[in-house]
Amino acid sequence: MVNHSSPVGFFLLGFSEHPHLEKILFVVVLCSYLLTLIGNTLILLLSTLDPRLHSPMYFFLSNLSFLDLCFTTTCVPQMLVNLWGPTKTISFLGCSVQLFIFMLLGTTECILLGPHENSCICFSVMAFDRYVAVCQPLHYTTVIHPRLCWQLAAVAWAIGLAQSIVQIPPTLRLPFCPHRQIDDFLCEVPSLIRLSCGDTTYNEIQLAVAGVIFLLVPLGLILVSYGAIARAVLRTNTSKGRRKAFGTCSSHLIVVTLFYSSVIAVYLQPKNPYAQERGKFFGLFYAVGTPTLNPLVYTLRNKEVKRSFWRLLGKDRDSGES
């Protein structure tokens, strides 16, 4: 079958079956995008300009903010155009670029929040950072040193790039149906697989394997890491120490829960119309909602970031913080 997508592109149906929601979603998505730009840019500025935030945790936090900025910019402008007007098309090249970048950034974020393989031992990058901070605080600066941080980040980006190179070409070579209608608001692998009129067994197996490796395995490792953290915290003698330890990890755990639950709902959903319809809303949340919530979670719950913000404005409130 001839691939009909190359010369004319695709139609992104998005939420066209809910026309009464499109204008509301436009306002919500636009506001979320602006908050994402402001919040993540602020975190990048604070992490760069304030020497007190030049620590491993804020290094990973600034990586996450950079990912979120690129992640949303890859899909939100196209989404806003589709939600506002009747034009819901995207060129084959535009879809390919969006698909490649979205897969690269999404996989990299899964690795940063999820596993890292070093010396044949899998850790969660940020969960490992929190594990050492809570369970081995005296060894933190020697275990989590700047060189290791750069190595972990480089490995995460390299794995994301490799996953895109492996996953995207077979997806784009599928024989797409002539109607070229993608039942989604952006080009994603599951949506393009559903659009194919040919045999997609290989693509589905590839997607399932990737889902296990980059979603279920990282989530399991994170739960194991936090199990160890919980045991260490419960052995702490003072309630103040317990509160401090839980506060250290709570922001990362919130982000992990929001991100993984929504991505799993999209990439590991069953094959039925209800699940696919629900998956679009979950996809909207992890593409737009999670990058908006990430800086809010970190800045509202983290005293160091708030202090850094006031110092940036020339108002040192260190003495006023409790």
Side-chain angles (χ1 to χ4, degrees):
M1 183 177 293
V2 178
N3 191 327
H4 295 274
S5 60
S6 298
V8 287
F10 301 99
F11 296 99
L12 293 170
L13 297 181
F15 300 95
S16 56
E17 69 274 21
H18 305 290
H20 59 287
L21 287 179
E22 288 195 318
K23 294 299 183 289
I24 298 175
L25 287 174
F26 177 88
V27 175
V28 172
V29 171
L30 178 60
C31 293
S32 297
Y33 184 51
L34 293 176
L35 288 175
T36 298
L37 294 178
I38 295 171
N40 286 290
T41 301
L42 180 61
I43 289 178
L44 285 172
L45 285 174
L46 294 177
S47 300
T48 302
L49 298 178
D50 193 338
R52 303 186 197 187
L53 298 185
H54 292 176
S55 65
M57 188 58 191
Y58 295 106
F59 172 81
F60 292 127
L61 177 57
S62 60
N63 266 270
L64 181 62
S65 294
F66 178 73
L67 277 170
D68 284 340
L69 284 173
C70 299
F71 197 69
T72 53
T73 303
T74 301
C75 62
V76 168
Q78 177 73 46
M79 191 190 309
L80 291 173
V81 171
N82 291 352
L83 287 172
W84 184 254
T87 303
K88 302 181 184 298
T89 59
I90 185 171
S91 67
F92 181 77
L93 177 61
C95 182
S96 303
V97 172
Q98 185 183 79
L99 189 65
F100 184 86
I101 296 177
F102 205 73
M103 177 66 70
L104 165 64
L105 299 175
T107 304
T108 303
E109 185 157 347
C110 285
I111 299 300
L112 281 177
L113 294 174
H116 171 67
E117 191 167 314
N118 189 32
S119 301
C120 301
I121 301 176
C122 288
F123 292 105
S124 159
V125 174
M126 293 179 73
F128 178 54
D129 175 86
R130 294 300 86 205
Y131 170 80
V132 176
V134 173
C135 301
Q136 302 179 35
L138 298 179
H139 301 283
Y140 182 80
T141 56
T142 57
V143 175
I144 308 294
H145 50 81
R147 183 180 177 184
L148 177 62
C149 293
W150 282 102
Q151 290 173 341
L152 292 174
V155 169
W157 280 92
I159 293 177
L161 178 62
Q163 169 62 8
S164 295
I165 293 173
V166 170
Q167 185 90 55
I168 302 308
T171 303
L172 295 175
R173 286 197 297 265
L174 285 170
F176 299 116
C177 296
H179 60 76
R180 297 170 282 110
Q181 295 179 346
I182 299 177
D183 190 17
D184 209 335
F185 57 87
L186 76 160
C187 291
E188 282 195 285
V189 172
S191 302
L192 289 172
I193 289 177
R194 290 195 298 268
L195 181 62
S196 176
C197 293
D199 183 13
T200 60
T201 303
Y202 170 77
N203 303 83
E204 290 173 4
I205 293 174
Q206 190 181 42
L207 184 64
V209 171
V212 171
I213 294 174
F214 296 113
L215 293 175
L216 297 185
V217 171
L219 186 58
L221 293 172
I222 287 172
L223 294 178
V224 170
S225 297
Y226 276 100
I229 290 173
R231 287 195 299 270
V233 170
L234 292 176
R235 288 197 296 265
T236 304
N237 294 326
T238 64
S239 58
K240 182 179 180 181
R242 293 191 188 98
R243 286 196 301 270
K244 182 178 180 180
F246 280 123
T248 301
C249 304
S250 59
S251 58
H252 175 237
L253 194 56
I254 290 172
V255 171
V256 166
T257 301
L258 294 173
F259 180 78
Y260 276 101
S261 59
S262 55
V263 176
I264 288 173
V266 174
Y267 280 85
L268 298 179
Q269 60 178 286
K271 286 186 175 180
N272 63 72
Y274 173 74
Q276 294 174 8
E277 179 67 20
R278 182 185 58 188
K280 282 195 291 187
F281 286 94
F282 278 110
L284 181 66
F285 179 77
Y286 85 74
V288 179
T290 304
T292 304
L293 292 175
N294 283 349
L296 295 178
V297 167
Y298 284 117
T299 54
L300 291 179
R301 296 178 61 87
N302 193 304
K303 291 181 179 180
E304 281 301 317
V305 174
K306 289 190 287 186
R307 289 169 179 169
S308 178
F309 174 72
W310 289 115
R311 285 195 295 267
L312 184 65
L313 296 179
K315 302 177 180 179
D316 194 338
R317 296 193 171 189
D318 285 7
S319 60
E321 292 283 355
S322 58

